[in-house]
Amino acid sequence: QMSNELKDDSTQELLELSATDKMRAALSACMHALSQQQRECITLAYVNGYSHDEIARSVGSPLGSVKSWVRRGLTSLKRCLES
């Protein structure tokens, strides 16, 4: 028979994993709600660590457009994740 302490630890781990899975699913859903440009630029910035200049060169778009896509995309992500 499992001790209560061990049972509580296991339950807590399951709850944390469940919360992480829910957060991952929410982020994925919110990312897919973005425009293709926003999604690509945010991925390059936050997954690949690209600067705005590097993103602009990579996607072949003006720097101002890239900055707008990232800014608007992050605002949309925040709003989506808070809902």
Side-chain angles (χ1 to χ4, degrees):
Q1 183 167 355
M2 221 186 266
S3 74
N4 280 340
E5 185 178 318
L6 183 58
K7 185 176 177 186
D8 289 344
D9 288 347
S10 297
T11 303
Q12 185 61 36
E13 284 179 31
L14 285 173
L15 289 173
E16 288 172 7
L17 284 173
S18 178
T20 300
D21 288 343
K22 287 178 185 174
M23 289 171 46
R24 189 176 293 121
L27 179 59
S28 179
C30 290
M31 284 291 287
H32 281 87
L34 299 176
S35 73
Q36 186 271 332
Q37 291 98 343
Q38 290 171 332
R39 189 169 44 253
E40 182 177 13
C41 290
I42 288 172
T43 300
L44 288 171
Y46 293 94
V47 176
N48 297 31
Y50 283 25
S51 68
H52 285 132
D53 286 327
E54 290 169 324
I55 295 168
R57 283 194 299 274
S58 178
V59 300
S61 294
L63 180 60
S65 296
V66 166
K67 287 181 177 181
S68 291
W69 292 332
V70 170
R71 183 176 53 253
R72 285 191 217 131
L74 290 176
T75 299
S76 294
L77 274 180
K78 182 180 179 192
R79 218 177 280 131
C80 179
L81 291 170
E82 288 175 345
S83 63

